[in-house]
Amino acid sequence: MKTATRLNAYLPHYDNKIDKVFGELKKVGINYVDINFPQQTIGIPARDMKKMLDENGLRPNGMEMRFEGHYLNGDLGNLNDKIYQDAIEMCKQAVDYCREIGGSMINIWSAHDGFDYSFQIDYLKVWHRIVKACQEIADYAPDIKFSIEYKPYEPRAYAFVDSMGTLGMILKDINRKNFGVLLDYCHMLMKHENPAMGSEIFASRGELFGVHINDGYGVHDDGLMVGTVTPFKTLEFLYYMKKYHFDGMYYFDTAPVIEDPSQETRKNIEMLKYLLNLLDRVGMEKIDKVINENDAIKARDLLLDFIKK
């Protein structure tokens, strides 16, 4: 099982020194690392990053794009040509860094592509710019996997790529095999989607490249510990990932504030393993049989079986 977690949660506890964080990640059972680009690479050449990873027995998964500063009015959909090209170039720089440390994936969360008011943007123009940017990035690095992470809102009132439906449409227009999906569990709850629906649809198409697993109440991006608020939904989400043999990264995108990040990460790993084993104990075939019968009463009884196990 491939696991990674947020470096941001650890950095304040370790004087913002990544090498110390890497040592702690190894202790708690994390085996892969995703690095925010460019923030967590500033002042650290790729060769030095790779050396730190190797010394701590960690493997690089890839880079998490973080658009800040002058991207407040849009990144891959920005209507200012210079800023738009800057965003594309930043993704290419992330690719180069990713290759050098031995990673294989770039996750794109376009935080500022969106709008706050009616009549504020030309939706079709922004759509075409995002598609064109993603095609250029994909063609620059056909050996690298790219995932798009959607979110319905925050920081914008409306995110442009806001749902599994919008993302599915935009992927069709991008039309590149190395572009897929990263599902963030909390973001799906915020959109009032059932996370399991997305995991089956995208996994069945071979488009599910990664997940950010966490939990929340569906209003904000709570980033709570895995399985603590919606355990049955989490089980169903994981069921489809097992069914379609997902072998990508389980990234714990939880946000400890008053909790110790190492303890929280251990509990996330413990819960993920418990839930995956629970699916096996109840039986994948039994679960599949209940689903195929389309019977709410039997579905309810299945939930009780999970508790009994």
Side-chain angles (χ1 to χ4, degrees), residues 16 20 66 131-132 157 185 198-199 206 226 232 239 289 295:
N16 289 314
K20 290 186 178 181
R66 290 293 180 265
V131 168
K132 183 180 177 183
Y185 188 89
S199 67
V226 176
F232 290 132
Y239 162 76
K289 185 175 183 295
D295 186 315

Side-chain angles (χ1 to χ4, degrees), residues 16 28 38 55 59 63 66 74 83-84 111 113 170 172 185 198 213 218 227 235 256 265 272 285 300:
N16 289 314
V28 301
E55 288 174 347
R59 298 179 63 183
M63 319 304 293
R66 290 293 180 265
I83 298 175
Y84 175 69
D113 281 332
I170 211 161
K172 184 177 180 181
Y185 188 89
I213 190 163
L235 269 171
T265 300
L272 178 61
E285 290 185 7
R300 174 267 177 201

Side-chain angles (χ1 to χ4, degrees), residues 18-253:
I18 284 185
D19 56 339
K20 290 186 178 181
V21 175
F22 286 169
E24 185 62 21
L25 294 183
K26 181 181 178 181
K27 292 178 185 177
V28 301
I30 292 296
N31 47 33
Y32 281 77
V33 172
D34 279 38
I35 299 168
N36 286 358
F37 190 89
Q39 292 81 355
Q40 292 170 353
T41 67
I42 295 171
I44 307 176
R47 64 180 179 275
D48 293 343
M49 184 71 76
K50 186 177 189 306
K51 182 180 178 182
M52 286 190 287
L53 289 168
D54 290 342
E55 288 174 347
N56 289 283
L58 297 169
R59 298 179 63 183
N61 178 50
M63 319 304 293
E64 300 269 344
M65 300 305 302
R66 290 293 180 265
F67 298 99
E68 295 179 350
H70 67 321
Y71 296 111
L72 287 178
N73 199 28
D75 25 74
L76 292 181
N78 201 301
L79 297 178
N80 179 298
D81 287 337
K82 183 182 185 307
I83 298 175
Y84 175 69
Q85 291 299 327
D86 284 349
I88 294 173
E89 182 60 27
M90 194 170 99
C91 290
K92 292 179 180 179
Q93 291 170 0
V95 165
D96 296 340
Y97 196 100
C98 183
R99 281 198 187 114
E100 194 168 344
I101 66 172
S104 60
M105 182 170 157
I106 306 291
N107 180 48
I108 299 172
W109 171 45
S110 293
H112 305 293
D113 281 332
F115 57 96
D116 304 300
Y117 300 96
S118 299
F119 302 104
Q120 185 175 1
I121 66 169
D122 184 323
Y123 306 103
L124 192 58
K125 185 180 291 185
V126 172
W127 181 282
H128 288 316
R129 286 174 84 82
I130 292 173
V131 168
K132 183 180 177 183
C134 290
Q135 288 174 334
E136 182 175 339
I137 296 163
D139 294 342
Y140 176 78
D143 58 315
I144 296 290
K145 283 187 173 182
F146 296 89
S147 61
I148 296 177
E149 175 186 353
Y150 68 86
K151 187 178 183 181
Y153 48 88
E154 293 179 354
R156 306 303 296 269
Y158 288 87
F160 197 84
V161 182
D162 68 335
S163 63
M164 67 175 78
T166 303
L167 181 49
M169 290 171 63
I170 211 161
L171 280 180
K172 184 177 180 181
D173 283 3
I174 294 169
N175 192 29
R176 296 295 188 274
K177 290 183 179 180
N178 59 332
F179 248 87
V181 178
L182 185 141
L183 295 177
D184 185 297
Y185 188 89
C186 256
H187 296 179
M188 302 178 86
L189 294 179
M190 291 168 67
K191 189 61 177 176
H192 197 60
E193 295 175 341
N194 183 13
M197 181 177 174
S199 67
E200 176 165 39
I201 289 173
F202 290 119
S204 68
R205 299 179 180 192
E207 295 176 340
L208 182 57
F209 289 179
V211 297
H212 284 178
I213 190 163
N214 40 37
D215 214 335
Y217 293 96
V219 178
H220 302 291
D221 194 7
D222 298 315
L224 301 181
M225 286 182 280
V226 176
T228 53
V229 180
T230 60
F232 290 132
K233 283 185 179 294
T234 304
L235 269 171
E236 189 186 16
F237 181 69
L238 294 173
Y239 162 76
Y240 285 108
M241 295 173 72
K242 282 182 69 73
K243 178 177 178 179
Y244 291 98
H245 308 290
F246 174 75
D247 64 351
M249 184 66 53
Y250 290 95
Y251 180 99
F252 300 118
D253 193 9

Side-chain angles (χ1 to χ4, degrees), residues 256-270:
V257 178
I258 60 175
E259 300 78 16
D260 177 80
S262 294
Q263 291 184 25
E264 179 159 311
T265 300
R266 286 190 180 96
K267 293 304 178 182
N268 283 329
I269 295 172
E270 179 183 55

